[in-house]
Amino acid sequence: MDHPLSELLKSALGDAISQVTLFRDEVTLHTSRERILDVLTHLRDVQQFDMLTDETCVDYYPREPRFGILYQLYSIPRNLRVRVKVMLSEYDASLPSAVPVYRNANWLEREIYDLFGIHFEGHPDLRRILLPPDYPGHPLRKEVPIAVEENAFSFNRARIDAAKPYATE
Amino acid sequence: MTIAEPPIRVEDAPHNAVRVEDVQLDITLEQLKKLVSPRALTGETMLLNMGPQHPSTHGVLRLLLELDGETIVSCIPDIGYLHTGIEKTAEGKTYLKAIPLTDRTDYLAPMSNNLAFCGAVEKLVGIDVPIRAQYLRVILMELTRMNSHLVWLGTHALDIGAMSMFLYCMREREMILDIYEAVSGARMMSSYIRPGGLWRDVPAHFPQLVQRVLDVFPRRILEYEKLLKENPLWKERTVGIGKISAQDAIAWGMTGPCLRGSGVNYDVRKAQPYSSYDHFEFSVPVGSNGDVYDRYKCRMEEFNQSLKIIKQAMDRLPPGPVMTDDRKVAPPPKHEIAYSMESLIHHFKLWTEGFRAPEGEVYFAVESGKGEYGVLLSGDGSPKPRRVHFRAPSFHNLQPLGEISKGALLADIVAIIGSIDIVLGDVDR
């Protein structure tokens, strides 16, 4: 592998990285949730990946483990991007929060919690961010259909009355 | 014969299905109490709601402000009022049909969003874009940056009290919207950039329209600067207000003029050039103090740099096609459909099924007017994306607002919001 990031493989993180994939010139490091904070701390402090560009979740539904948490990192001094990926099972969808390493993970993880229902351990303020607090479920999961519209218009007198009790005379 | 719907009991009706006592809140009062200082709970400091309908929050941003007199003790941004589920909706559309959704994230800079999404699709599928399309994209990108900055300058100045700036900026913005209309037919929701190139070539009078911008803008920018740059009132409201250090700005993931105002020279156009930005000469203005005034100066200089890029691209605009000739992703020209059966099939397949993208994830970022606009795209081998995530610059630039505004005066928060230049469509998506 002649990508500039191949040295990462030889570095101290060797055993924390289970796999390195190269797709369209983008490097993805696969790690486990037990080691994710070690990996992120090493990347920030030793490898100078000083900016967490993005953190998000992908739902690979029929597969198990189902959720992939992607950390998109960027290094301003080295001008390099790298992606770190952690796979999570549907039945135990939780992992340590990255806020101690990257401050801006705060809102990003709230968004993932809101839309995917992934629990971040040790997050300082894990509330819903985009949806109201009484919203049922987590809409970006694949089991939620893309659009369900209630029948807004009906000639059924009983249905109209039921929906609007005040409309009966 | 008509079939009657079965009568529905009141408690089963959809609008009455959720009763107050059934509502499950996944939040506790203790969690909310932690957000403010203990002094707020005793009534020593005042809690004030600003927004979501406050005009200077630039949309539907709600701020929960804890005030000690006029000083801000803490500021808690509350977002989500404009959440439209664009990312979820895009999962149900083919790659081509998802483009109109991207217009609606940062609706003041639609072309940047188009390019970020199309760039990600091109990277995922492996499409080459003709050089003329790349140059036209650069021209449109820079016009979009000016469009975005004009709205920023107008509203920012309006918030601080310079009313006439808003009128001037909107007047000049018309010229750019006219160009949008000429190329795409729409003044705001353009959807002009497509995977593989552009929807169509620019019209014959496009060079005149751009030339008008190039002729008029330099002296307009001087006018704006004459009004604001050395204006003592303007400087009093902006110099030293809303400071953020370079380290903090990086740690918070700020990008664009907000990061460069703090003295960090990071611009995606220079760092990782896309769409042949490396063919053009331009400089990236960088501030030093990281305050509202430096962010203002950075953006004002970006006007001049954008004009410089547009001029170079117009002078060297090559002839040729504006769409890739790969028929698997680009529709065939109309005249070909008339005699080629294969073209007809391609056309039919493209508009009904769409093209397939391979399994894998890509990240593609452009420098929009507000910062790094990235798209994380995950394909699953089908014509629809598995996941689209927009890395919205406004979302990241807004996050440290609580940090920046701590200790500022209530009146300053208006200047700070204006200077970080958020668009709520981009924040909430």
Side-chain angles (χ1 to χ4, degrees):
Chain A
M1 198 178 285
D2 52 355
H3 200 276
L5 283 170
S6 58
E7 75 203 60
L8 275 177
L9 288 170
K10 298 171 206 129
S11 68
L13 281 169
D15 60 325
I17 307 291
S18 57
Q19 197 192 349
V20 179
T21 51
L22 195 62
F23 178 69
R24 306 281 186 240
D25 287 334
E26 290 184 10
V27 178
T28 307
L29 308 174
H30 297 253
T31 184
S32 63
R33 66 173 171 185
E34 286 77 23
R35 303 296 299 275
I36 178 66
L37 287 189
D38 298 343
V39 171
L40 291 178
T41 312
H42 176 84
L43 287 172
R44 185 193 65 179
D45 294 342
V46 184
Q47 304 289 345
Q48 297 178 298
F49 283 94
D50 43 5
M51 188 189 273
L52 175 68
T53 308
D54 200 2
E55 177 180 352
T56 190
C57 177
V58 180
D59 186 353
Y60 301 89
Y61 163 57
R63 286 190 221 159
E64 183 58 38
R66 172 175 164 182
F67 296 110
I69 307 288
L70 307 177
Y71 300 80
Q72 184 76 39
L73 306 179
Y74 178 68
S75 164
I76 291 179
R78 297 174 68 187
N79 190 17
L80 283 176
R81 290 189 195 281
V82 71
R83 191 179 304 131
V84 182
K85 189 169 178 180
V86 181
M87 293 303 291
L88 293 178
S89 162
E90 178 180 359
Y91 306 103
D92 188 12
S94 69
L95 79 166
S97 163
V99 177
V101 189
Y102 292 105
R103 263 179 272 176
N104 62 328
N106 189 327
W107 277 18
L108 293 163
E109 289 180 351
R110 280 176 69 188
E111 187 184 315
I112 298 173
Y113 163 72
D114 191 357
L115 302 177
F116 286 94
I118 306 245
H119 189 78
F120 289 91
E121 293 149 12
H123 190 285
D125 181 23
L126 198 61
R127 291 177 291 133
R128 283 185 184 270
I129 187 166
L130 295 177
L131 300 170
D134 59 346
Y135 193 88
H138 302 284
L140 253 74
R141 289 185 171 213
K142 287 286 181 193
E143 70 254 25
V144 178
I146 281 169
V148 178
E149 283 187 40
E150 277 179 19
N151 185 1
F153 189 78
S154 167
F155 285 113
N156 188 322
R157 187 75 198 176
R159 186 186 280 265
I160 296 167
D161 290 350
K164 294 195 222 165
Y166 52 86
T168 51
E169 309 312 321
Chain B
M1 195 181 81
T2 55
I3 299 169
E5 289 177 63
I8 294 175
R9 287 177 302 149
V10 171
E11 53 268 33
D12 292 341
H15 295 280
N16 297 349
V18 181
R19 282 172 300 198
V20 178
E21 57 268 29
D22 294 341
V23 170
Q24 296 282 321
L25 292 176
D26 63 349
I27 191 169
T28 59
L29 191 60
E30 291 310 308
Q31 265 180 310
L32 291 173
K33 279 182 184 170
K34 271 199 306 190
L35 295 176
V36 292
S37 73
R39 292 164 68 204
L41 302 177
T42 59
E44 204 179 322
T45 53
M46 184 170 81
L47 288 177
L48 182 74
N49 258 314
M50 183 167 159
Q53 269 89 26
H54 194 283
S56 73
T57 57
H58 293 203
V60 279
L61 170 69
R62 172 176 166 239
L63 299 173
L64 182 62
L65 300 169
E66 186 186 340
L67 297 173
D68 183 3
E70 257 197 277
T71 314
I72 293 167
V73 180
S74 68
C75 160
I76 305 146
D78 183 15
I79 61 171
Y81 290 89
L82 205 60
H83 179 61
T84 44
I86 284 176
E87 290 171 5
K88 180 80 179 176
T89 316
E91 286 174 20
K93 302 211 177 287
T94 61
Y95 290 99
L96 188 66
K97 289 174 187 168
I99 294 172
L101 294 170
T102 65
D103 290 333
R104 286 148 178 86
T105 58
D106 179 357
Y107 44 77
L108 297 176
M111 298 259 191
S112 307
N113 317 341
N114 291 165
L115 181 62
F117 182 75
C118 294
V121 175
E122 283 155 9
K123 196 172 183 183
L124 182 62
V125 183
I127 309 169
D128 289 326
V129 181
I131 189 76
R132 179 177 171 84
Q134 294 193 13
Y135 274 50
L136 284 171
R137 281 177 177 192
V138 167
I139 296 168
L140 292 166
M141 224 35 39
E142 294 309 314
L143 288 169
T144 304
R145 186 181 322 282
M146 290 166 71
N147 180 4
S148 165
H149 283 3
L150 281 171
V151 178
W152 155 77
L153 181 61
T155 52
H156 183 34
L158 183 67
D159 287 346
I160 300 185
M163 180 113 197
S164 46
M165 277 310 291
F166 183 75
L167 305 173
Y168 296 141
C169 289
M170 288 296 133
R171 180 185 65 190
E172 266 73 82
R173 183 166 174 258
E174 280 304 297
M175 287 196 288
I176 295 171
L177 293 185
D178 284 347
I179 296 177
Y180 277 21
E181 192 176 354
V183 297
S184 73
R187 285 161 59 82
M188 280 182 81
M189 302 300 151
S190 52
S191 300
Y192 181 57
I193 296 169
R194 303 283 165 91
L198 303 169
W199 169 44
R200 59 176 185 189
D201 207 342
V202 290
H205 65 299
F206 177 75
Q208 284 95 42
L209 289 172
V210 177
Q211 194 55 47
R212 190 159 66 117
V213 170
L214 291 175
D215 292 341
V216 171
F217 257 87
R219 67 169 190 273
R220 296 283 193 239
I221 294 164
L222 285 179
E223 254 173 50
Y224 303 156
E225 298 210 324
K226 213 183 282 173
L227 281 166
L228 294 180
K229 197 167 190 179
E230 297 303 327
N231 183 334
L233 288 174
W234 178 261
K235 284 181 93 167
E236 199 148 309
R237 291 298 306 272
T238 55
V239 176
I241 306 291
K243 271 194 174 183
I244 186 158
S245 71
Q247 269 174 332
D248 282 346
I250 294 172
W252 280 111
M254 291 176 105
T255 46
C258 296
L259 181 64
R260 293 194 284 272
S262 298
V264 183
N265 188 351
Y266 169 56
D267 187 315
V268 189
R269 293 176 295 172
K270 283 278 190 201
Q272 306 197 325
Y274 52 90
S275 193
S276 64
Y277 258 110
D278 45 345
H279 295 190
F280 306 107
E281 256 180 54
F282 63 100
S283 58
V284 177
V286 175
S288 52
N289 296 328
D291 57 3
V292 175
Y293 189 62
D294 271 28
R295 278 169 241 155
Y296 155 77
K297 279 201 297 192
C298 277
R299 291 200 179 92
M300 290 309 285
E301 183 51 32
E302 279 185 16
F303 276 122
N304 292 322
Q305 296 302 325
S306 292
L307 289 173
K308 203 171 153 188
I309 297 172
I310 294 170
K311 189 163 172 12
Q312 292 174 52
M314 283 307 288
D315 289 346
R316 308 212 300 256
L317 187 61
V322 293
M323 194 64 163
T324 173
D325 54 3
D326 183 356
R327 291 281 176 267
K328 295 297 172 202
V329 291
K334 190 77 185 164
H335 62 87
E336 238 180 76
I337 298 174
Y339 61 86
S340 163
M341 187 64 208
E342 204 177 349
S343 290
L344 189 66
I345 294 169
H346 278 140
H347 186 268
F348 181 76
K349 287 288 269 184
L350 273 175
W351 298 124
T352 52
E353 186 189 327
F355 54 86
R356 286 169 188 273
E359 164 99 39
E361 278 115 30
V362 293
Y363 178 80
F364 183 82
V366 302
E367 183 77 25
S368 88
K370 293 172 180 68
E372 176 179 338
Y373 192 100
V375 172
L376 198 140
L377 193 62
S378 173
D380 59 354
S382 76
K384 293 173 183 176
R386 174 189 283 131
R387 170 95 168 101
V388 186
H389 180 71
F390 297 107
R391 189 258 182 223
S394 302
F395 184 85
H396 288 255
N397 293 348
L398 178 63
Q399 190 173 179
L401 179 66
E403 205 64 28
I404 298 175
S405 58
K406 206 163 272 179
L409 293 177
L410 178 58
D412 291 339
I413 199 157
V414 176
I416 296 169
I417 295 172
S419 78
I420 59 175
D421 190 19
I422 48 163
V423 160
L424 267 294
D426 202 21
V427 176
D428 296 344
R429 302 183 299 286

